[in-house]
């Protein structure tokens, strides 16, 4: 039995809410079962189909590990002298690999420098795992595509939880969404789910600060 792991994230770019990282562990001989389901990268699949595949993938794999990284943890990493978003993602990726202990792991690389990212990732891995680190791994490899679906569905559920908890509708949470932008303008100080290190947030906060100073 060759144990294969695929890892991917969802929610790296939004202004609101967590980033979610998921990893799956599967017997290599069962990869064709994922192909039979027509699993693809989550961004290419409609929400209802993602929900269906989420359940079906879990029936095929041996186990999975999902890590929800809240907005505050992302901000802390970006405000740190030692970390950035790529390094934070590498640390979480290593945590997933250390938990699943696969023979080989396919990892989507967020950095332009694949070699440096791979070397950094290796410093946190405790298992004897062969790494395949590539750009667009979620498009190329079925194991990473499957992980992307688990991450995306989990991220969408986390966003819905935030909306229900605070009784708000901030749209998709992405900076390009007009509803998100309007919500930010009116509520930038009110909630802890904003990523305050994002330039979109900083611009609004600075404008409001300048306006308050002028009013004063």
């Amino acid at each position: 039995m060759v144990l294969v792991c695929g890892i991917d994230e969802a929610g790296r770019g939004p202004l609101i809410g967590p980033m979610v990282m998921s990893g799956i562990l599967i017997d290599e001989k069962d990869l064709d079962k994922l192909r039979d389901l027509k699993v693809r990268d989550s961004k290419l699949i409609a929400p209802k189909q993602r929900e269906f595949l989420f359940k079906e993938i879990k029936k095929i794999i041996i186990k999975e590990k999902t890590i929800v990284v809240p907005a505050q943890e992302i901000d802390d990493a970006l405000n740190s002298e030692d970390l950035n978003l790529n390094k934070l993602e590498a640390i979480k990726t290593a945590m997933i690999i250390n938990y699943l202990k696969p023979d080989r792991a396919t990892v989507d690389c967020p950095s332009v420098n694949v070699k440096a990212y791979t070397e950094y990732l290796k410093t946190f891995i405790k298992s004897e795992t062969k790494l395949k680190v590539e750009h667009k791994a979620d498009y190329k490899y079925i194991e990473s595509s499957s992980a992307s679906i688990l991450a995306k569905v989990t991220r969408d559920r986390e966003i819905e939880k935030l909306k229900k908890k605070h009784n708000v509708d901030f749209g998709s949470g992405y900076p390009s969404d007009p509803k998100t932008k309007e919500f930010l303008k009116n509520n930038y100080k009110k909630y802890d789910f904003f990523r305050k290190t994002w330039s979109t947030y900083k611009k609004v906060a600075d404008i409001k600060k300048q306006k308050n100073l002028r009013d004063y």
Side-chain angles (χ1 to χ4, degrees), residues 116-170:
Y117 183 83
T118 304
E119 291 306 312
Y120 185 80
L121 173 60
K122 283 179 179 177
T123 63
F124 297 97
I125 294 175
K126 298 172 184 175
S127 60
E128 291 293 325
T129 297
K130 184 178 178 182
L131 292 177
K132 183 191 290 179
V133 183
E134 293 185 21
H135 290 301
K136 304 291 183 184
D138 46 349
Y139 286 89
K140 299 177 189 174
Y141 303 104
I142 198 78
E143 59 268 29
S144 291
S145 298
S146 301
S148 80
I149 290 169
L150 267 56
K152 176 62 176 165
V153 170
T154 303
R155 154 87 186 172
D156 287 347
R157 290 175 180 177
E158 290 295 316
I159 289 299
E160 288 309 306
K161 281 184 202 172
L162 285 176
K163 289 179 178 179
K164 286 178 182 176
K165 178 182 175 181
H166 298 284
N167 193 28
V168 294
D169 183 5
F170 46 69

Side-chain angles (χ1 to χ4, degrees), residues 9 16 26 41 45-47 50 56 58-59 71 80 93-94 97 103 116 119 128 133 153 162 166 170 185 191 202:
E9 55 74 26
I16 290 174
I26 187 169
D41 176 68
I45 302 172
R50 283 199 300 260
E56 295 303 308
K58 288 201 169 191
K59 293 175 186 175
S80 163
T93 295
I97 291 171
D103 296 308
E119 291 306 312
E128 291 293 325
V133 183
V153 170
L162 285 176
H166 298 284
F170 46 69
K185 268 193 267 184
Y191 299 104
K202 287 179 177 179

Side-chain angles (χ1 to χ4, degrees), residues 5 13 25 30 67 112 148:
C5 167
L25 186 71
D30 290 329
I67 298 173
V112 293
S148 80

